[in-house]
Amino acid sequence: MIANNSGPHLWFITHQELKNWLESIINHATLIAPQYCDGVVLFKPTTDVNEIAWGDTRPAMSIKEAFFPPTEQLMIVEKRGSEIKITENLFSDKQVIFSLRPCDARGVKVLDSAFITTEPEDSYYSRRRANTALIGRTCQQMSETCFCTSVGGSPSDPGDMDVMLTDTNGGYLVQIVSDKGGELVEGVNLQSTSISLQAEPESARTLAPQIGDWPARFADNYWEVLAERCLSCRICAYVCPTCRCFDVRDEALSSDNGWQEFERIRCWDSCTSEAYRRIAGGHNPRDTKAKRLKNRVFCKFYYYPQQYNPVACTGCGRCIEACPVNIDITEVLQHFMEVADANRA
Ligand code: SF4
Ligand code: SF4
């Protein structure tokens, strides 16, 4: 929201100057921005600012793959007899993400908590994170499935960005949020403005039950009812900005002159998959869809906040849109809120 009152210091940039700025970024970094791909908006690297989807449509996939790719080669191992050579594949490029929404920047912060802040640091993730700057945009309108305001977020929250843009007449208001953002705007034609941002309206009622309410829901029959229609397809985890489970595999590549070459890769995995918790001997402690669905929700709202601090749901609503059988996380939360309220009454 825009007003003529006090608030964070802002600058103004025209749409054309913004395009010029993004073009200059392309000269020294990979620019990742929303683009239409077969009718679907996705974050993709671009070398042409005219390819950018400027509208308010939230990309179907989150930005996590810029930090944590769906499949990533971690290292190459070469072996000849007892000789072994290991070459790690560490990311060294620069990347700038444009038109990130506050919920997705919050998702990056959630991933930081697991991959960087908590020991041991994941060097594959942290290299990408250190080499990436985030240029955000305020959401003009929340979509039907968005609920960021019910999990502590807001459509205009700049807190997890480096630079934040807010659409205004003829251009954008620019807020420089971090030192990295300050470096990014060096040399950019920013104009002074007397316009400032209005205070955010109060957030909607928190949707998630309190931490202490969750243990009593562990044996709830609701999970069985919900799971009757779950397909264990894992789409909810793949579209989610905060789901971060992965599998690590070694694959044989080639052999030449007595050298055998292998690659170690990691790829996304999900706790909603049937095989995820299967252990040696075939035992599976999460052998039903109900147990797996419960784990996903408990992870986001009970395990993760205790282990890493933030709630691991940003309210982006992607899992609601993507689930082929209409399992809606807000309905799950609403159900348990009502149960908790009834127990307190
Ligand atoms: S709404 Fe769904 S997809 Fe989005 S952060 Fe929450 S659990 Fe993940
Ligand atoms: S997207 Fe829906 S059906 Fe697929 S695993 Fe998730 S909850 Fe189950």
Side-chain angles (χ1 to χ4, degrees), residues 213-289:
D213 291 331
W214 282 104
R217 306 278 63 85
F218 196 81
D220 203 299
N221 187 52
Y222 182 79
W223 301 113
E224 299 288 345
V225 176
L226 195 66
E228 279 175 13
R229 62 185 203 266
C230 175
L231 307 172
S232 295
C233 70
R234 295 172 275 183
I235 289 175
C236 49
Y238 295 158
V239 299
C240 178
T242 66
C243 277
R244 72 223 164 269
C245 290
F246 59 83
D247 192 13
V248 174
R249 298 177 192 170
D250 293 334
E251 305 277 353
L253 289 180
S254 62
S255 67
D256 193 21
N257 293 330
W259 284 97
Q260 291 175 294
E261 194 177 62
F262 306 86
E263 66 173 350
R264 173 158 292 181
I265 57 173
R266 74 168 164 192
C267 42
W268 290 355
D269 201 350
S270 165
C271 63
T272 53
S273 139
E274 192 275 332
Y276 181 83
R277 283 287 274 136
R278 195 187 303 141
I279 55 176
H283 177 61
N284 190 341
R286 284 192 217 124
D287 55 352
T288 65
K289 288 187 288 185

Side-chain angles (χ1 to χ4, degrees), residues 17 29 88 97 130 135 161 175 185 191 212 226-227 231 273-274 305 317:
E17 284 294 344
E88 269 199 294
I97 296 163
I135 304 176
M161 305 288 185
Q175 183 179 350
V185 300
Q191 302 166 27
L226 195 66
L231 307 172
S273 139
E274 192 275 332

Side-chain angles (χ1 to χ4, degrees), residues 147 236 239-242 296 300 312-319 329:
F147 59 101
C236 49
V239 299
C240 178
T242 66
R296 182 162 190 272
K300 302 220 162 284
C313 173
T314 70
C316 74
R318 285 189 178 90
C319 59
I329 196 163

